Amino acid sequence: METSTEGAAEDCGSDVAPAADEYPAGANGAVATVEAGEGGGTAADVAAPRVIPPTSLSPSRASDFMQCPLLYRFRVIDRLPEKPSAAATKGTLVHAVLERLFDAPAAERTAPRAKSLIPGQWDRLRESRPELVELFADDPEGERLAAWLGEAERLVERWFGLEDPTRLEPAERELFVEAELDSGLRLRGIIDRVDVAATGEVRIVDYKTGKAPRPEYAEGALFQMKFYALVVWRLKNVIPRRLQLVYLGSGDVLTYDPVLADLERVERKLLALWEAIRLATETGDWRPRPTKLCGWCDHQAHCPEFGGTPPPYPLPVRAAESGGGSQGRMGPD
């Protein structure tokens, strides 16, 4: 699936940590299980964690694989570190501010109050992710940081022209959802906001700090929302009435009203995608797919397209079946 580069680095919300939503990390960031006998695991067992295949799928990781199977491998299988991004971190900060604003009574949800939350949320973010100090390590006078915080303020302020928080009472904020399909595939993710009308109708809302995509990329932008709608349907047997993307970078709101056929189509697509991931996991055949988005990638040093060599594959492999190798390209719905 081709993805627009417009706002690519900023369209990150709660689901931004690579592979954190797939399974827990063990020692040195690897995914581990320790096979202990009656006497318990040995020191060698603990020191040499065993990497296990992925067991679930989130919108971010699904998009990674569709964008580039090798990127998925680097993030989910190899768990390669990535440098903190100022754009993605700004998105996380803005999301935190919009979430916390709803702690206040409706009448107090004003733009000045929202902007006043930014310094405190930035402090909390740095405390939880010490690596973010690298973002402004070369900014001793704090000029770049001040400009960056100013950009976050403008994004927050723009939201008030798109939605009126004094008239909203979200049923859920930063809601973690997980559902298992009949096939056994587990889908999971974090929804920015869920609104429930008095009539019971559900609206799923997602904030984007980048710009709205061009029309030819709108379907790709809605993939994440349809993913969430599928999970909600499977959990509650309720089809969300509306999916809403709020683009703070451009001041646009994109809405879509899904029907059952949409969710069934997305489920078929995810099952095909998961089968492709399973095949790549078993064969070790993770092929790079060069696009304009390669310019944003932290893993060029390990990518064959840039003269790099991937790390040794940490899982057992089997010979690829004849005719395989099509993973990473999803056909029309």
Side-chain angles (χ1 to χ4, degrees):
M1 179 183 69
E2 191 71 23
T3 306
S4 170
T5 58
E6 296 181 24
E10 296 198 47
D11 285 346
C12 301
S14 307
D15 191 14
V16 295
D21 48 7
E22 301 300 332
Y23 37 66
N28 300 319
V31 178
T33 58
V34 177
E35 297 181 359
E38 292 182 1
T42 66
D45 292 328
V46 176
R50 179 170 61 87
V51 178
I52 62 175
T55 59
S56 63
L57 195 61
S58 72
S60 293
R61 301 294 77 83
S63 294
D64 284 346
F65 190 87
M66 288 187 287
Q67 175 187 324
C68 174
L70 187 58
L71 174 63
Y72 178 98
R73 178 202 148 167
F74 287 157
R75 285 180 164 170
V76 177
I77 304 296
D78 298 301
R79 305 296 291 265
L80 296 183
E82 297 185 353
K83 297 177 182 178
S85 158
T89 303
K90 181 169 55 185
T92 303
L93 174 60
V94 170
H95 276 72
V97 169
L98 298 185
E99 179 191 4
R100 293 275 69 86
L101 182 65
F102 285 103
D103 290 340
E108 299 178 20
R109 297 171 194 161
T110 64
R113 182 184 182 94
K115 289 191 289 185
S116 74
L117 295 174
I118 291 176
Q121 291 303 314
W122 172 230
D123 289 341
R124 291 182 62 183
L125 192 55
R126 285 185 299 173
E127 290 173 5
S128 64
R129 296 175 56 190
E131 71 274 12
L132 295 182
V133 71
E134 300 174 22
L135 289 175
F136 302 102
D138 59 348
D139 183 35
E141 302 300 322
E143 294 179 357
R144 284 202 305 113
L145 174 59
W148 183 81
L149 290 172
E151 293 170 0
E153 285 190 0
R154 287 188 288 276
L155 291 171
V156 168
E157 189 168 27
R158 183 171 290 150
W159 176 61
F160 285 82
L162 303 174
E163 296 190 287
D164 182 358
T166 66
R167 303 183 65 178
L168 295 171
E169 291 297 341
E172 300 287 352
R173 290 171 279 157
E174 298 297 315
L175 175 65
F176 174 79
V177 291
E178 182 177 50
E180 184 170 317
L181 304 181
D182 294 339
S183 66
L185 170 60
R186 285 191 297 124
L187 305 178
R188 61 198 310 182
I190 300 176
I191 302 175
D192 288 347
R193 197 179 86 217
V194 178
D195 301 332
V196 179
T199 56
E201 293 178 319
V202 174
R203 176 172 63 184
I204 296 176
V205 181
D206 193 73
Y207 309 119
K208 298 294 186 184
T209 49
K211 297 179 180 180
R214 296 195 299 267
E216 60 265 35
Y217 294 118
E219 182 60 31
L222 284 169
F223 170 77
Q224 173 189 6
M225 304 302 285
K226 292 180 180 180
F227 183 110
Y228 290 146
L230 170 61
V231 175
V232 169
W233 174 49
R234 286 300 191 186
L235 285 174
K236 302 294 186 180
N237 199 30
V238 172
I239 298 175
R241 173 69 177 82
R242 173 153 294 180
L243 311 177
Q244 181 166 303
L245 284 160
V246 181
Y247 286 94
L248 304 177
S250 57
D252 296 300
V253 176
L254 177 62
T255 62
Y256 185 82
D257 296 342
V259 296
L260 178 59
D262 290 319
L263 307 189
E264 292 174 336
R265 189 178 304 115
V266 169
E267 182 168 349
R268 291 194 298 271
K269 184 171 185 174
L270 289 172
L271 291 175
L273 177 63
W274 188 247
E275 176 60 21
I277 291 173
R278 184 195 62 78
L279 178 62
T281 302
E282 293 181 356
T283 63
D285 184 10
W286 302 91
R287 302 187 182 186
R289 184 184 176 207
T291 69
K292 294 178 181 178
L293 292 175
C294 291
W296 299 98
C297 186
D298 277 345
H299 307 303
Q300 294 180 9
H302 295 285
C303 180
E305 293 293 324
F306 292 86
T309 302
Y313 191 56
L315 293 171
V317 299
R318 65 173 176 79
E321 297 177 4
S322 176
S326 62
Q327 65 269 25
R329 285 189 175 271
M330 299 301 296
D333 291 338

